[in-house]
């Protein structure tokens, strides 16, 4: 019985469903944020690419009017060798005033996935693409492509106000996402704390109920290690009250071992039973305890093996004080022995009869006398069928038992019995034990050997018959008329 709060109460963590919900929620929001950034980036690149193509066409169309071309902002036209032809950047210092683009960007910090060398290589090969790099104003996004005349290239950088606009949108959405996550986690946290508090109350109440139940047992509860030492792990207050020693005294006086509390005359018997116990079924121990006040008490100890959460086995035992019942049992045994001794001095044998099941339980003396073990438990009819009771007396014998079954308090009969070639006369008396409703629930029978009395009676009967015959002859002679 796991009644110790400090050892058996567990604080519940997040329920599995809640954990899955949190993981799903966070994953969803992360995916959402990733999608926002990706969409923002794709939109920026798409707009930048369209703008660059527009400027390229504009340059081709107005190649002779440079003044008209530079009205467009945030682009630079350069040759493949890096020489800048047109620089329309008004936002400084996106591209420095250096006439060589490669020299302007050589020491620039490019973002992951982009590089200065790949940029130059693409331009040399006539390819288009994107660059992303950082300066003191922030992250820059650019698109480069051939103009379509000479070996000119155009590089357009996304204006800072556009980048800032997209950044603000992303930041806004990210902030909303974070607030939602925090709110959801807060709600979930409150729910989990409430559930945890509820579970703790359930455990505390369950432990209290178990402790109350254990203390209410007329004896106590023990938990012991399943090994040679058999040490106490837990004992209820009921056991403490039963034995009279405190928990501290169980350690100091008995070394906290169960077997040391057993009365010295019962130790060997209890140890042998524990040594043969394999833990497959319930074991019942009956032994004596010596209380602190010196009083010897009898207890019955019913034990089972239970494994804890670590698969370690323990004895779980319920100890009940049976001193009063044991006293009655001992007195009954003494009374039975006295009865047997007294009956041994008489010529009577004793048997018992179960009226409900019509069954005779014969004593050892009757079984030995007839040398038939099968009559130790049998029916009246089986006795007659074995010809132990003479067949001429079978009905009388069986009717005696039927009288008891029908509610008669006392019934008796005289029968002739056979034991091999020897015949015996018995007087059998059956007395019923009645319940509160005056119905027979049991019966005690006595078998008295009256063979000698019966022989004397039969002899007297024969002598009487002879006397009557003799007197009958005498009267006949006396009445003859001889005149």
């Amino acid at each position: 019985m796991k009644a110790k709060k400090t050892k058996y109460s567990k604080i519940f963590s997040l329920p599995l469903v809640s954990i899955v919900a949190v993981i799903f929620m966070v994953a969803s929001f992360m995916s959402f944020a990733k999608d926002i950034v990706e969409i923002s980036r794709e939109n920026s690149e798409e707009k930048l690419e369209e703008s660059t193509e527009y400027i390229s066409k504009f340059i081709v169309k107005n190649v002779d009017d440079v003044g008209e071309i530079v009205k467009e902002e945030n682009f630079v036209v350069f040759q493949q060798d890096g020489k800048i032809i047109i620089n329309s950047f008004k936002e400084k210092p996106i591209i420095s005033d250096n006439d060589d683009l490669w020299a302007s960007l050589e020491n620039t910090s490019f973002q992951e996935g982009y590089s200065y060398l790949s940029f130059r290589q693409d331009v040399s090969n006539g390819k288009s693409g994107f660059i992303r790099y950082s300066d003191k104003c922030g992250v820059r996004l650019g698109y480069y492509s051939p103009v379509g005349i000479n070996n000119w290239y155009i590089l357009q950088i996304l204006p800072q106000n556009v980048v800032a606009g997209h950044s603000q949108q992303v930041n806004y959405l990210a902030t909303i996402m974070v607030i939602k996550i925090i709110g959801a986690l807060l709600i979930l946290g409150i729910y989990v704390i409430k559930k945890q508090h509820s579970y703790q109350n359930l455990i505390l109440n369950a432990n209290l109920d178990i402790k109350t139940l254990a203390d209410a047992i007329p004896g106590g509860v023990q938990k012991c290690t399943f090994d040679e030492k058999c040490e106490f792990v837990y004992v209820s207050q009921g056991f403490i009250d039963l034995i009279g020693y405190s928990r501290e005294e169980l350690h100091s006086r008995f070394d906290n071992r169960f077997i040391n509390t057993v009365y010295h005359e019962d130790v060997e018997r209890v140890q042998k039973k524990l040594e043969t116990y394999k833990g497959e079924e319930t074991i019942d121990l009956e032994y004596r305890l010596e209380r602190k006040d010196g009083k010897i008490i009898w207890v019955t100890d019913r034990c089972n093996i239970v494994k804890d959460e670590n698969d370690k086995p323990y004895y779980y035992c319920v100890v009940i004080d049976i001193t009063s019942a044991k006293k009655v049992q001992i007195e009954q045994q003494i009374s039975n022995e006295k009865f047997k001794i007294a009956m041994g001095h008489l010529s009577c044998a004793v048997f018992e009869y179960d009226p409900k099941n019509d069954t005779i339980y014969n004593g050892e003396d009757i079984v030995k006398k007839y040398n038939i073990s099968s009559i130790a438990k049998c029916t009246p009819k089986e006795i007659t069928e074995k010809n132990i009771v003479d067949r001429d007396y079978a009905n009388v014998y069986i009717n005696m038992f039927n009288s008891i079954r029908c509610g008669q308090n006392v019934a008796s009969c005289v029968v002739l019995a056979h034991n091999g070639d020897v015949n015996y006369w018995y007087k059998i008396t059956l007395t019923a034990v009645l319940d509160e409703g005056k119905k027979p629930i049991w019966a005690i029978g006595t078998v008295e050997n009256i063979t000698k009395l019966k022989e004397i009676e039969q002899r007297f009967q024969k002598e009487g018959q002879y006397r009557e015959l003799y007197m009958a002859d005498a009267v006949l002679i006396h009445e003859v008329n001889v005149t």
Side-chain angles (χ1 to χ4, degrees), residues 42-87:
E42 290 177 355
N43 288 341
S44 298
E45 292 179 350
E46 185 178 351
K47 290 180 179 179
L48 187 60
E49 188 174 355
E50 291 176 354
S51 176
T52 304
E53 290 177 358
Y54 167 76
I55 295 174
S56 296
K57 293 177 182 179
F58 187 83
I59 291 174
V60 173
K61 184 178 179 181
N62 300 281
V63 68
D64 297 327
D65 190 357
V66 176
E68 188 69 23
I69 295 174
V70 298
K71 290 181 180 179
E72 298 292 334
E73 297 182 359
N74 303 317
F75 73 91
V76 61
V77 177
F78 62 97
Q79 295 178 351
Q80 286 182 325
D81 60 2
K83 182 179 179 180
I84 296 176
I85 305 300
I86 301 172
N87 188 353

Side-chain angles (χ1 to χ4, degrees), residues 2-101:
K2 301 182 179 181
K4 289 189 76 176
K5 172 185 171 184
T6 55
K7 299 207 61 157
Y8 301 104
S9 298
K10 294 182 178 179
I11 299 177
F12 285 77
S13 58
L14 285 175
L16 181 59
V17 176
S18 301
I19 295 175
V20 172
V22 171
I23 295 174
F24 178 76
M25 189 182 304
V26 172
S28 298
F29 280 128
M30 289 179 65
S31 176
F32 177 63
K34 182 179 178 181
D35 291 343
I36 291 175
V37 174
E38 186 67 22
I39 291 171
S40 176
R41 185 184 65 80
E42 290 177 355
N43 288 341
S44 298
E45 292 179 350
E46 185 178 351
K47 290 180 179 179
L48 187 60
E49 188 174 355
E50 291 176 354
S51 176
T52 304
E53 290 177 358
Y54 167 76
I55 295 174
S56 296
K57 293 177 182 179
F58 187 83
I59 291 174
V60 173
K61 184 178 179 181
N62 300 281
V63 68
D64 297 327
D65 190 357
V66 176
E68 188 69 23
I69 295 174
V70 298
K71 290 181 180 179
E72 298 292 334
E73 297 182 359
N74 303 317
F75 73 91
V76 61
V77 177
F78 62 97
Q79 295 178 351
Q80 286 182 325
D81 60 2
K83 182 179 179 180
I84 296 176
I85 305 300
I86 301 172
N87 188 353
S88 69
F89 282 104
K90 296 180 180 179
E91 196 175 340
K92 301 296 183 179
I94 297 179
I95 299 295
S96 66
D97 292 332
N98 195 326
D99 290 337
D100 189 348
L101 177 66

Side-chain angles (χ1 to χ4, degrees), residues 35-292:
D35 291 343
I36 291 175
V37 174
E38 186 67 22
I39 291 171
S40 176
R41 185 184 65 80
E42 290 177 355
N43 288 341
S44 298
E45 292 179 350
E46 185 178 351
K47 290 180 179 179
L48 187 60
E49 188 174 355
E50 291 176 354
S51 176
T52 304
E53 290 177 358
Y54 167 76
I55 295 174
S56 296
K57 293 177 182 179
F58 187 83
I59 291 174
V60 173
K61 184 178 179 181
N62 300 281
V63 68
D64 297 327
D65 190 357
V66 176
E68 188 69 23
I69 295 174
V70 298
K71 290 181 180 179
E72 298 292 334
E73 297 182 359
N74 303 317
F75 73 91
V76 61
V77 177
F78 62 97
Q79 295 178 351
Q80 286 182 325
D81 60 2
K83 182 179 179 180
I84 296 176
I85 305 300
I86 301 172
N87 188 353
S88 69
F89 282 104
K90 296 180 180 179
E91 196 175 340
K92 301 296 183 179
I94 297 179
I95 299 295
S96 66
D97 292 332
N98 195 326
D99 290 337
D100 189 348
L101 177 66
W102 303 132
S104 299
L105 297 176
E106 187 174 10
N107 297 320
T108 301
S109 176
F110 282 78
Q111 296 290 305
E112 184 178 357
Y114 305 89
S115 70
Y116 170 77
L117 292 178
S118 61
F119 176 30
R120 287 198 64 170
Q121 187 174 0
D122 284 349
V123 171
S124 298
N125 296 329
K127 296 181 179 179
S128 302
F130 291 92
I131 61 171
R132 189 182 292 269
Y133 63 93
S134 302
D135 59 21
K136 66 179 182 179
C137 294
V139 178
R140 301 291 187 177
L141 176 63
Y143 178 75
Y144 54 91
S145 66
V147 173
I149 58 173
N150 301 326
N151 62 347
W152 290 4
Y153 253 78
I154 182 171
L155 170 65
Q156 185 179 16
I157 304 299
L158 194 67
Q160 184 63 30
N161 60 342
V162 176
V163 175
H166 283 287
S167 298
Q168 289 176 359
Q169 183 181 10
V170 171
N171 291 336
Y172 171 76
L173 293 175
T175 302
I176 296 299
M177 178 189 68
V178 171
I179 292 174
K180 289 181 178 180
I181 291 177
I182 293 174
L185 291 177
L186 183 61
I187 294 173
L188 184 61
I190 294 173
Y191 169 78
V192 170
I193 292 172
K194 186 177 179 180
K195 279 292 183 182
Q196 181 176 317
H197 182 69
S198 175
Y199 291 149
Q200 287 178 329
N201 286 337
L202 286 175
I203 293 174
L204 292 175
N205 291 334
N207 288 335
L208 181 61
D209 291 342
I210 293 173
K211 183 179 183 301
T212 302
L213 179 61
D215 292 341
I217 294 175
V221 176
Q222 303 166 332
K223 177 186 176 183
C224 305
T225 57
F226 185 62
D227 52 26
E228 294 180 356
K229 291 185 176 182
C230 200
E231 294 180 317
F232 289 121
V233 177
Y234 166 78
V235 291
S236 68
Q237 186 60 41
F239 180 75
I240 296 298
D241 296 338
L242 179 68
I243 197 170
Y245 291 97
S246 65
R247 288 180 172 82
E248 291 75 18
E249 289 173 322
L250 289 178
H251 282 81
S252 61
R253 182 179 177 84
F254 301 104
D255 199 24
N256 200 40
R257 296 183 61 188
F258 157 75
I259 199 65
N260 292 345
T261 63
V262 177
Y263 189 59
H264 62 89
E265 293 182 3
D266 300 334
V267 169
E268 185 177 355
R269 174 172 53 83
V270 172
Q271 276 186 328
K272 285 182 178 179
K273 196 161 186 179
L274 289 177
E275 288 171 0
T276 58
Y277 180 51
K278 303 301 181 182
E280 298 175 352
E281 56 186 14
T282 300
I283 181 174
D284 291 312
L285 304 172
E286 191 174 288
Y287 55 90
R288 286 168 288 181
L289 293 174
E290 185 174 0
R291 288 173 47 85
K292 187 176 182 180

Side-chain angles (χ1 to χ4, degrees), residues 312-357:
K312 185 176 181 181
Y314 290 92
Y315 283 111
Y316 281 79
C317 307
V318 176
V319 186
I320 297 177
D321 185 357
I322 59 168
T323 304
S324 299
K326 195 68 177 179
K327 183 178 179 182
V328 173
Q329 180 184 350
I330 294 173
E331 290 176 351
Q332 184 65 41
Q333 290 177 346
I334 294 173
S335 177
N336 290 340
E337 289 300 321
K338 288 180 179 179
F339 178 74
K340 288 181 180 180
I341 293 171
M343 293 302 296
H345 292 291
L346 301 175
S347 59
C348 294
V350 180
F351 67 93
E352 298 178 59
Y353 175 63
D354 179 5
K356 183 178 180 180
N357 298 307

